[in-house]
Amino acid sequence: MISTQKISKQFGDLVVLKDIDLEVEKGKVVVVIGPSGSGKTTLLRCLNLLEQPESGLISIDQQSIDFGKKLSKKEIRSFRKKSGMVFQTYNLFPHFTALQNVMEGPVTVQKVNKTEAKKRAVELLTKVGLKEKIDVFPYQLSGGQQQRVGIARAMAIDPKVMLFDEPTSALDPELVGEVLLVMKDLAKEGRTMVVVTHEMKFAKEVADEVIFMDEGKIIERGEPVDLFERPKEERTKKFLNLIN
Ligand code: ADP
């Protein structure tokens, strides 16, 4: 479902991603871990074209983008619809209700009619446990509830893959569980997901594969039991020791 070949990205002189090859099969959950600054967020943002790599190739659901060539706006627009992004800080529109936040993408980007978009938004908000909150504004919601709106909004464009960028790291500890629960449900439904997180328990329980990144490279990857219990690389061992 997702494949990247030799993705490289730099900001000025700083090389942030170096020749990243990533494969994610349909219905699988890949969790990306690694120290702060290792390039995890940039990798996700490249998959969603919020950042454009200098070179390499990304394919999602049979559409390929070759960064060696100039990309058309149309190409970028259609590729961005392949993935739904959930941000650390929710990024909801403060002046829109939960329902309006979820309807926004389909109505303005995809030109879905409002009745249809509303029906789907209500379904999605119900799915994330917020049926009672559809007409409420973000400031009236807890962080966990706001993030669940964020997940419903990302799903509203019916993306092929869901990308989660540290979705629980801005939350008070008691609110983390409700967001992880929604994510677990999505995984169970067979959604293809790439999740950057520090929640190792979630990674152990839900991930099909864990990827450890450091200094813009994938250092090691494997099933959670192998990577967490029997890491091969020194850098992985060191990182896991620090966080345990
Ligand atoms: P991680 O998610 O692993 O913490 P990031 O992908 O956020 O890592 O960042 C990797 C490196 O790229 C960091 O050194 C960060 O400061 C730098 N970086 C990220 N975004 C930008 C940007 N827009 N401009 C300049 N440097 C950036």
Side-chain angles (χ1 to χ4, degrees), residues 20 28 34 54 78 94 97 106-107 111 117 119 124-125 137 143 147 154 171 175 177 179 184 192 214 235 240 242 244:
I20 298 284
K28 299 288 182 195
E54 279 82 40
S78 92
T97 63
V107 171
K111 313 289 179 215
K119 185 166 164 265
L124 286 168
L125 285 164
F137 288 92
Q147 189 57 299
L171 295 174
L175 303 177
V179 172
K184 276 184 200 170
T192 310
D214 195 15
R235 274 201 265 183
L240 292 174
L242 281 175
N244 282 325

PDB file of all heavy atoms in Angstrom, residues 20 28 34 54 78 94 97 106-107 111 117 119 124-125 137 143 147 154 171 175 177 179 184 192 214 235 240 242 244:
ATOM      1  N   ILE A  20      15.606   6.685   2.510  1.00  0.00           N
ATOM      2  CA  ILE A  20      14.654   5.863   3.272  1.00  0.00           C
ATOM      3  C   ILE A  20      13.863   4.943   2.343  1.00  0.00           C
ATOM      4  O   ILE A  20      13.225   5.401   1.393  1.00  0.00           O
ATOM      5  CB  ILE A  20      13.654   6.766   4.042  1.00  0.00           C
ATOM      6  CG1 ILE A  20      14.375   7.651   5.061  1.00  0.00           C
ATOM      7  CG2 ILE A  20      12.558   5.930   4.695  1.00  0.00           C
ATOM      8  CD1 ILE A  20      14.825   6.956   6.307  1.00  0.00           C
ATOM      9  N   LYS A  28      -1.694  -3.218   7.379  1.00  0.00           N
ATOM     10  CA  LYS A  28      -0.678  -3.367   8.427  1.00  0.00           C
ATOM     11  C   LYS A  28      -0.466  -2.061   9.181  1.00  0.00           C
ATOM     12  O   LYS A  28      -0.678  -0.970   8.652  1.00  0.00           O
ATOM     13  CB  LYS A  28       0.665  -3.791   7.810  1.00  0.00           C
ATOM     14  CG  LYS A  28       0.612  -5.115   7.076  1.00  0.00           C
ATOM     15  CD  LYS A  28       0.494  -6.277   8.036  1.00  0.00           C
ATOM     16  CE  LYS A  28       0.491  -7.603   7.278  1.00  0.00           C
ATOM     17  NZ  LYS A  28       0.039  -8.718   8.074  1.00  0.00           N
ATOM     18  N   GLY A  34      12.132   6.387  17.698  1.00  0.00           N
ATOM     19  CA  GLY A  34      13.490   6.906  17.542  1.00  0.00           C
ATOM     20  C   GLY A  34      13.637   8.193  18.319  1.00  0.00           C
ATOM     21  O   GLY A  34      12.639   8.813  18.694  1.00  0.00           O
ATOM     22  N   GLU A  54      13.926  15.816  -1.729  1.00  0.00           N
ATOM     23  CA  GLU A  54      14.694  16.275  -2.908  1.00  0.00           C
ATOM     24  C   GLU A  54      14.785  15.165  -3.941  1.00  0.00           C
ATOM     25  O   GLU A  54      14.880  15.419  -5.133  1.00  0.00           O
ATOM     26  CB  GLU A  54      16.126  16.665  -2.516  1.00  0.00           C
ATOM     27  CG  GLU A  54      16.250  18.053  -1.920  1.00  0.00           C
ATOM     28  CD  GLU A  54      15.908  18.059  -0.456  1.00  0.00           C
ATOM     29  OE1 GLU A  54      16.319  17.092   0.229  1.00  0.00           O
ATOM     30  OE2 GLU A  54      15.241  18.993   0.006  1.00  0.00           O
ATOM     31  N   SER A  78      -4.055  15.038  -5.873  1.00  0.00           N
ATOM     32  CA  SER A  78      -4.640  13.692  -5.858  1.00  0.00           C
ATOM     33  C   SER A  78      -3.830  12.771  -4.933  1.00  0.00           C
ATOM     34  O   SER A  78      -4.388  11.910  -4.262  1.00  0.00           O
ATOM     35  CB  SER A  78      -4.791  13.141  -7.277  1.00  0.00           C
ATOM     36  OG  SER A  78      -3.667  12.415  -7.655  1.00  0.00           O
ATOM     37  N   PRO A  94     -10.596  26.457  15.234  1.00  0.00           N
ATOM     38  CA  PRO A  94     -11.227  26.805  16.510  1.00  0.00           C
ATOM     39  C   PRO A  94     -12.642  27.372  16.370  1.00  0.00           C
ATOM     40  O   PRO A  94     -13.458  27.229  17.263  1.00  0.00           O
ATOM     41  CB  PRO A  94     -10.286  27.864  17.104  1.00  0.00           C
ATOM     42  CG  PRO A  94      -9.453  28.352  15.983  1.00  0.00           C
ATOM     43  CD  PRO A  94      -9.403  27.256  14.950  1.00  0.00           C
ATOM     44  N   THR A  97     -17.381  23.946  14.634  1.00  0.00           N
ATOM     45  CA  THR A  97     -17.788  22.878  15.563  1.00  0.00           C
ATOM     46  C   THR A  97     -17.066  21.584  15.161  1.00  0.00           C
ATOM     47  O   THR A  97     -16.459  21.509  14.083  1.00  0.00           O
ATOM     48  CB  THR A  97     -19.302  22.614  15.480  1.00  0.00           C
ATOM     49  OG1 THR A  97     -19.601  22.157  14.152  1.00  0.00           O
ATOM     50  CG2 THR A  97     -20.101  23.867  15.814  1.00  0.00           C
ATOM     51  N   PRO A 106     -14.012  17.111   3.039  1.00  0.00           N
ATOM     52  CA  PRO A 106     -14.859  16.610   1.961  1.00  0.00           C
ATOM     53  C   PRO A 106     -15.573  17.727   1.192  1.00  0.00           C
ATOM     54  O   PRO A 106     -15.648  17.688  -0.029  1.00  0.00           O
ATOM     55  CB  PRO A 106     -15.876  15.723   2.693  1.00  0.00           C
ATOM     56  CG  PRO A 106     -15.178  15.306   3.939  1.00  0.00           C
ATOM     57  CD  PRO A 106     -14.273  16.433   4.314  1.00  0.00           C
ATOM     58  N   VAL A 107     -16.085  18.748   1.905  1.00  0.00           N
ATOM     59  CA  VAL A 107     -16.868  19.786   1.237  1.00  0.00           C
ATOM     60  C   VAL A 107     -15.977  20.712   0.406  1.00  0.00           C
ATOM     61  O   VAL A 107     -16.242  20.964  -0.768  1.00  0.00           O
ATOM     62  CB  VAL A 107     -17.703  20.604   2.263  1.00  0.00           C
ATOM     63  CG1 VAL A 107     -18.334  21.830   1.586  1.00  0.00           C
ATOM     64  CG2 VAL A 107     -18.787  19.730   2.881  1.00  0.00           C
ATOM     65  N   LYS A 111     -15.372  18.524  -2.823  1.00  0.00           N
ATOM     66  CA  LYS A 111     -16.646  19.008  -3.401  1.00  0.00           C
ATOM     67  C   LYS A 111     -17.799  18.015  -3.211  1.00  0.00           C
ATOM     68  O   LYS A 111     -18.675  17.885  -4.069  1.00  0.00           O
ATOM     69  CB  LYS A 111     -16.495  19.321  -4.913  1.00  0.00           C
ATOM     70  CG  LYS A 111     -15.266  20.147  -5.255  1.00  0.00           C
ATOM     71  CD  LYS A 111     -15.392  21.576  -4.778  1.00  0.00           C
ATOM     72  CE  LYS A 111     -14.143  22.388  -5.096  1.00  0.00           C
ATOM     73  NZ  LYS A 111     -13.820  23.389  -4.090  1.00  0.00           N
ATOM     74  N   ALA A 117     -21.803  14.913   3.132  1.00  0.00           N
ATOM     75  CA  ALA A 117     -20.639  15.120   4.010  1.00  0.00           C
ATOM     76  C   ALA A 117     -21.062  15.121   5.479  1.00  0.00           C
ATOM     77  O   ALA A 117     -20.359  14.581   6.339  1.00  0.00           O
ATOM     78  CB  ALA A 117     -19.947  16.439   3.658  1.00  0.00           C
ATOM     79  N   LYS A 119     -23.667  13.553   6.804  1.00  0.00           N
ATOM     80  CA  LYS A 119     -24.031  12.187   7.183  1.00  0.00           C
ATOM     81  C   LYS A 119     -22.774  11.392   7.558  1.00  0.00           C
ATOM     82  O   LYS A 119     -22.698  10.734   8.589  1.00  0.00           O
ATOM     83  CB  LYS A 119     -24.761  11.538   5.999  1.00  0.00           C
ATOM     84  CG  LYS A 119     -25.306  10.180   6.270  1.00  0.00           C
ATOM     85  CD  LYS A 119     -26.291   9.761   5.168  1.00  0.00           C
ATOM     86  CE  LYS A 119     -26.539   8.283   5.215  1.00  0.00           C
ATOM     87  NZ  LYS A 119     -25.707   7.511   4.309  1.00  0.00           N
ATOM     88  N   LEU A 124     -18.678   9.272  11.479  1.00  0.00           N
ATOM     89  CA  LEU A 124     -17.283   9.207  11.949  1.00  0.00           C
ATOM     90  C   LEU A 124     -17.167   9.687  13.390  1.00  0.00           C
ATOM     91  O   LEU A 124     -16.443   9.100  14.198  1.00  0.00           O
ATOM     92  CB  LEU A 124     -16.372  10.024  11.033  1.00  0.00           C
ATOM     93  CG  LEU A 124     -16.084   9.386   9.681  1.00  0.00           C
ATOM     94  CD1 LEU A 124     -15.421  10.383   8.734  1.00  0.00           C
ATOM     95  CD2 LEU A 124     -15.194   8.151   9.846  1.00  0.00           C
ATOM     96  N   LEU A 125     -17.884  10.755  13.719  1.00  0.00           N
ATOM     97  CA  LEU A 125     -17.823  11.257  15.095  1.00  0.00           C
ATOM     98  C   LEU A 125     -18.457  10.248  16.062  1.00  0.00           C
ATOM     99  O   LEU A 125     -18.013  10.100  17.200  1.00  0.00           O
ATOM    100  CB  LEU A 125     -18.476  12.639  15.194  1.00  0.00           C
ATOM    101  CG  LEU A 125     -17.601  13.755  14.610  1.00  0.00           C
ATOM    102  CD1 LEU A 125     -18.412  15.023  14.359  1.00  0.00           C
ATOM    103  CD2 LEU A 125     -16.415  14.073  15.544  1.00  0.00           C
ATOM    104  N   PHE A 137     -17.693  23.302  20.096  1.00  0.00           N
ATOM    105  CA  PHE A 137     -16.460  23.871  19.543  1.00  0.00           C
ATOM    106  C   PHE A 137     -15.230  23.251  20.230  1.00  0.00           C
ATOM    107  O   PHE A 137     -15.327  22.795  21.373  1.00  0.00           O
ATOM    108  CB  PHE A 137     -16.459  25.395  19.739  1.00  0.00           C
ATOM    109  CG  PHE A 137     -17.436  26.092  18.843  1.00  0.00           C
ATOM    110  CD1 PHE A 137     -18.738  26.347  19.275  1.00  0.00           C
ATOM    111  CD2 PHE A 137     -17.072  26.461  17.547  1.00  0.00           C
ATOM    112  CE1 PHE A 137     -19.652  26.966  18.436  1.00  0.00           C
ATOM    113  CE2 PHE A 137     -17.980  27.074  16.704  1.00  0.00           C
ATOM    114  CZ  PHE A 137     -19.273  27.337  17.149  1.00  0.00           C
ATOM    115  N   GLY A 143      -8.566  17.595  25.548  1.00  0.00           N
ATOM    116  CA  GLY A 143      -7.542  17.285  24.545  1.00  0.00           C
ATOM    117  C   GLY A 143      -7.796  15.943  23.868  1.00  0.00           C
ATOM    118  O   GLY A 143      -7.658  15.812  22.652  1.00  0.00           O
ATOM    119  N   GLN A 147      -8.535  15.359  19.951  1.00  0.00           N
ATOM    120  CA  GLN A 147      -7.744  14.486  19.087  1.00  0.00           C
ATOM    121  C   GLN A 147      -8.620  13.452  18.397  1.00  0.00           C
ATOM    122  O   GLN A 147      -8.359  13.066  17.262  1.00  0.00           O
ATOM    123  CB  GLN A 147      -6.601  13.823  19.882  1.00  0.00           C
ATOM    124  CG  GLN A 147      -5.601  13.082  19.021  1.00  0.00           C
ATOM    125  CD  GLN A 147      -4.942  13.952  17.954  1.00  0.00           C
ATOM    126  OE1 GLN A 147      -5.616  14.505  17.064  1.00  0.00           O
ATOM    127  NE2 GLN A 147      -3.637  14.091  18.021  1.00  0.00           N
ATOM    128  N   ALA A 154      -9.425  13.295   9.793  1.00  0.00           N
ATOM    129  CA  ALA A 154      -8.464  12.676   8.864  1.00  0.00           C
ATOM    130  C   ALA A 154      -9.127  11.565   8.057  1.00  0.00           C
ATOM    131  O   ALA A 154      -8.782  11.328   6.900  1.00  0.00           O
ATOM    132  CB  ALA A 154      -7.270  12.129   9.640  1.00  0.00           C
ATOM    133  N   LEU A 171      -1.102  15.180  25.177  1.00  0.00           N
ATOM    134  CA  LEU A 171      -2.255  14.938  26.067  1.00  0.00           C
ATOM    135  C   LEU A 171      -1.845  14.685  27.512  1.00  0.00           C
ATOM    136  O   LEU A 171      -0.782  14.106  27.774  1.00  0.00           O
ATOM    137  CB  LEU A 171      -3.025  13.710  25.580  1.00  0.00           C
ATOM    138  CG  LEU A 171      -3.695  13.806  24.216  1.00  0.00           C
ATOM    139  CD1 LEU A 171      -4.292  12.460  23.833  1.00  0.00           C
ATOM    140  CD2 LEU A 171      -4.769  14.881  24.233  1.00  0.00           C
ATOM    141  N   LEU A 175      -5.752  11.075  29.484  1.00  0.00           N
ATOM    142  CA  LEU A 175      -6.531  11.190  28.244  1.00  0.00           C
ATOM    143  C   LEU A 175      -5.931  10.392  27.085  1.00  0.00           C
ATOM    144  O   LEU A 175      -6.518  10.292  26.008  1.00  0.00           O
ATOM    145  CB  LEU A 175      -6.646  12.666  27.837  1.00  0.00           C
ATOM    146  CG  LEU A 175      -7.261  13.599  28.880  1.00  0.00           C
ATOM    147  CD1 LEU A 175      -7.257  15.032  28.384  1.00  0.00           C
ATOM    148  CD2 LEU A 175      -8.679  13.163  29.238  1.00  0.00           C
ATOM    149  N   GLY A 177      -5.350   7.127  26.872  1.00  0.00           N
ATOM    150  CA  GLY A 177      -6.002   5.832  26.633  1.00  0.00           C
ATOM    151  C   GLY A 177      -7.141   5.900  25.633  1.00  0.00           C
ATOM    152  O   GLY A 177      -7.258   5.049  24.757  1.00  0.00           O
ATOM    153  N   VAL A 179      -7.651   7.886  23.183  1.00  0.00           N
ATOM    154  CA  VAL A 179      -7.184   8.092  21.802  1.00  0.00           C
ATOM    155  C   VAL A 179      -6.567   6.789  21.273  1.00  0.00           C
ATOM    156  O   VAL A 179      -6.840   6.368  20.140  1.00  0.00           O
ATOM    157  CB  VAL A 179      -6.181   9.269  21.727  1.00  0.00           C
ATOM    158  CG1 VAL A 179      -5.549   9.361  20.351  1.00  0.00           C
ATOM    159  CG2 VAL A 179      -6.895  10.576  22.082  1.00  0.00           C
ATOM    160  N   LYS A 184      -6.636   1.689  18.117  1.00  0.00           N
ATOM    161  CA  LYS A 184      -6.657   0.218  18.117  1.00  0.00           C
ATOM    162  C   LYS A 184      -7.837  -0.300  17.310  1.00  0.00           C
ATOM    163  O   LYS A 184      -7.724  -1.274  16.575  1.00  0.00           O
ATOM    164  CB  LYS A 184      -6.770  -0.310  19.559  1.00  0.00           C
ATOM    165  CG  LYS A 184      -5.439  -0.401  20.257  1.00  0.00           C
ATOM    166  CD  LYS A 184      -5.615  -1.015  21.625  1.00  0.00           C
ATOM    167  CE  LYS A 184      -4.427  -0.649  22.488  1.00  0.00           C
ATOM    168  NZ  LYS A 184      -4.604  -1.000  23.891  1.00  0.00           N
ATOM    169  N   THR A 192      -4.636   0.602   7.043  1.00  0.00           N
ATOM    170  CA  THR A 192      -3.190   0.702   6.904  1.00  0.00           C
ATOM    171  C   THR A 192      -2.742   1.959   7.658  1.00  0.00           C
ATOM    172  O   THR A 192      -3.267   3.041   7.410  1.00  0.00           O
ATOM    173  CB  THR A 192      -2.807   0.823   5.415  1.00  0.00           C
ATOM    174  OG1 THR A 192      -3.464  -0.215   4.689  1.00  0.00           O
ATOM    175  CG2 THR A 192      -1.294   0.733   5.230  1.00  0.00           C
ATOM    176  N   ASP A 214      17.227   6.659  13.409  1.00  0.00           N
ATOM    177  CA  ASP A 214      18.180   7.550  14.066  1.00  0.00           C
ATOM    178  C   ASP A 214      18.936   8.322  12.986  1.00  0.00           C
ATOM    179  O   ASP A 214      19.304   7.738  11.953  1.00  0.00           O
ATOM    180  CB  ASP A 214      19.155   6.738  14.936  1.00  0.00           C
ATOM    181  CG  ASP A 214      19.908   7.627  15.910  1.00  0.00           C
ATOM    182  OD1 ASP A 214      19.494   8.791  16.123  1.00  0.00           O
ATOM    183  OD2 ASP A 214      20.932   7.168  16.457  1.00  0.00           O
ATOM    184  N   ARG A 235      22.609   0.962  18.568  1.00  0.00           N
ATOM    185  CA  ARG A 235      21.858   2.211  18.719  1.00  0.00           C
ATOM    186  C   ARG A 235      20.422   1.952  19.174  1.00  0.00           C
ATOM    187  O   ARG A 235      19.857   2.717  19.942  1.00  0.00           O
ATOM    188  CB  ARG A 235      21.849   2.982  17.391  1.00  0.00           C
ATOM    189  CG  ARG A 235      23.082   3.851  17.254  1.00  0.00           C
ATOM    190  CD  ARG A 235      22.822   4.927  16.255  1.00  0.00           C
ATOM    191  NE  ARG A 235      23.310   4.527  14.948  1.00  0.00           N
ATOM    192  CZ  ARG A 235      23.269   5.305  13.872  1.00  0.00           C
ATOM    193  NH1 ARG A 235      22.720   6.503  13.947  1.00  0.00           N
ATOM    194  NH2 ARG A 235      23.748   4.891  12.724  1.00  0.00           N
ATOM    195  N   LEU A 240      16.389   2.002  23.524  1.00  0.00           N
ATOM    196  CA  LEU A 240      15.388   1.280  24.322  1.00  0.00           C
ATOM    197  C   LEU A 240      15.755   1.322  25.811  1.00  0.00           C
ATOM    198  O   LEU A 240      14.875   1.448  26.664  1.00  0.00           O
ATOM    199  CB  LEU A 240      15.257  -0.169  23.833  1.00  0.00           C
ATOM    200  CG  LEU A 240      14.634  -0.321  22.438  1.00  0.00           C
ATOM    201  CD1 LEU A 240      14.688  -1.769  21.971  1.00  0.00           C
ATOM    202  CD2 LEU A 240      13.193   0.188  22.399  1.00  0.00           C
ATOM    203  N   LEU A 242      17.227   3.756  27.278  1.00  0.00           N
ATOM    204  CA  LEU A 242      16.942   5.111  27.755  1.00  0.00           C
ATOM    205  C   LEU A 242      15.463   5.317  28.054  1.00  0.00           C
ATOM    206  O   LEU A 242      15.105   6.040  28.988  1.00  0.00           O
ATOM    207  CB  LEU A 242      17.373   6.143  26.712  1.00  0.00           C
ATOM    208  CG  LEU A 242      18.867   6.453  26.652  1.00  0.00           C
ATOM    209  CD1 LEU A 242      19.156   7.383  25.490  1.00  0.00           C
ATOM    210  CD2 LEU A 242      19.323   7.095  27.956  1.00  0.00           C
ATOM    211  N   ASN A 244      13.186   2.876  28.710  1.00  0.00           N
ATOM    212  CA  ASN A 244      12.568   1.899  29.612  1.00  0.00           C
ATOM    213  C   ASN A 244      12.856   2.214  31.077  1.00  0.00           C
ATOM    214  O   ASN A 244      13.838   2.789  31.412  1.00  0.00           O
ATOM    215  CB  ASN A 244      13.014   0.477  29.264  1.00  0.00           C
ATOM    216  CG  ASN A 244      12.252  -0.018  28.055  1.00  0.00           C
ATOM    217  OD1 ASN A 244      11.087   0.301  27.874  1.00  0.00           O
ATOM    218  ND2 ASN A 244      12.925  -0.760  27.187  1.00  0.00           N
TER     219      ASN A 244
END
